[in-house]
Amino acid sequence: SRGAVSQSSDAAKIIQTYLAGADREYFVLLMLDGKHRVNALNVVTIGSLTGALVHPREVFKPAVLANAAAVIVAHNHPSGDPEPSREDRELTDRLVQAGRLLGITVLDHVIVGEERFFSFADHHLIPNGGSL
């Protein structure tokens, strides 16, 4: 999809399509240009049924190399329930801080479940607003 991502549901749709039927957790990165068009989707890590370990350096390396202006991080919950865990919340804060240091805005962290998704930006959980 070369269209601009203007709301969390746009990102969720891309991720849900990409990860349809995944039986384990995938942590992915949508890299966006200055007009919030998706340049690339990168799989950062593939985890177990219950989680994926994610380090900021693995998240931002492809974004730096691709000269991304902004990113949306996302992962799936194979359980179907997109409610974020405490670890998801802590990771989001760490990634926002790392992005700020690198000059790459983290616009959102989207968790996709079976039929629903959770957006940190929509729930005002991205510090200093990661508004699309």
Side-chain angles (χ1 to χ4, degrees):
S1 166
R2 286 292 302 157
V5 174
S6 59
Q7 53 195 11
S8 58
S9 60
D10 297 337
K13 217 168 285 169
I14 293 167
I15 304 303
Q16 281 170 321
T17 301
Y18 184 74
L19 295 179
D23 64 345
R24 58 198 62 225
E25 194 169 290
Y26 282 70
F27 195 94
V28 299
L29 175 70
L30 289 178
M31 291 175 267
L32 310 177
D33 67 13
K35 293 186 173 145
H36 294 175
R37 289 181 304 233
V38 177
N39 278 342
L41 184 151
N42 187 71
V43 174
V44 176
T45 186
I46 301 170
S48 64
L49 291 170
T50 55
L53 288 173
V54 178
H55 194 283
R57 111 180 119 240
E58 271 88 47
V59 173
F60 286 102
K61 182 179 179 183
V64 169
L65 293 173
N67 292 319
V71 297
I72 294 172
V73 295
H75 73 281
N76 61 320
H77 280 175
S79 67
D81 179 7
E83 197 59 36
S85 65
R86 185 173 54 79
E87 291 82 6
D88 292 338
R89 292 169 186 268
E90 290 169 0
L91 173 63
T92 302
D93 290 342
R94 277 208 324 274
L95 293 176
V96 167
Q97 289 167 11
R100 200 173 290 137
L101 288 172
L102 293 168
I104 299 172
T105 305
V106 176
L107 294 173
D108 203 351
H109 181 177
V110 175
I111 303 172
V112 297
E114 199 78 17
E115 304 287 324
R116 301 175 294 134
F117 71 92
F118 182 94
S119 158
F120 279 74
D122 290 355
H123 286 85
H124 310 292
L125 295 171
I126 297 276
N128 295 335
S131 61
L132 298 172

